Every structure is written in C-alpha cells, then in structure tokens.
Amino acid sequence: HFGRLKTLQTGDEVTFVDMDENVVVYKVVEMEILKPTNIEEMEGGDWDLTLFTCNYGLGTRYAVRCQMVEENE
C-alpha cells in the first residue's frame, strides 16, 4: 500500500479516510531516508502524520512527514 510513498514530493497532499469516513488532508513537509536502527529519528519530531515504507534491497526506510491541512468529519 505504501510502495509509492517515495514518489511523493514536498508540497503534495495526502488524504486519509478512516473507517468512519472522516477525511483528513495533510501536506508533505519533509522526506527522509532512515536506517531501520534510527528509532529516535523515526519517533522524534512534531509532525501530525508520518508514513513509512521500506526501501527493499537497500536496507533503508522512507519517512514522509506531514502536517494537517484540514479535517472534515
């Protein structure tokens, strides 16, 4: 599901829809490539949403950091 995260760019919008059909829109503010052992970097920061995916074969992870733009319930 997250294999295409690495194609996102700063400024792109990410729409999240939960099981109750609440919609939250986020804007990508930062992209990082992290080692799987960098737990503090994965958990740190003040982002509203962080999405991760593995970079198969390279032993790294993509981290997409986002800030909330709007929430529609």
Side-chain angles (χ1 to χ4, degrees), residues 3 19 27 50 70:
M19 291 176 50
K27 183 179 278 193
T50 299
E70 66 180 88

Side-chain angles (χ1 to χ4, degrees), residues 30 32 34 38-50 52 63-67:
E30 187 176 325
E32 295 181 90
L34 303 172
N38 292 357
I39 303 302
E40 288 182 17
E41 290 180 32
M42 288 184 205
E43 296 178 341
D46 190 28
W47 296 280
D48 295 323
L49 176 71
T50 299
F52 295 100
V64 179
R65 312 294 192 167
C66 304
Q67 294 293 339

Side-chain angles (χ1 to χ4, degrees), residues 2-9 31 53-56 62 64:
F2 286 167
R4 295 183 6 188
L5 282 183
K6 59 188 171 194
T7 65
L8 291 173
Q9 297 180 3
M31 304 279 296
T53 192
C54 297
N55 187 6
Y56 294 106
Y62 286 100
V64 179

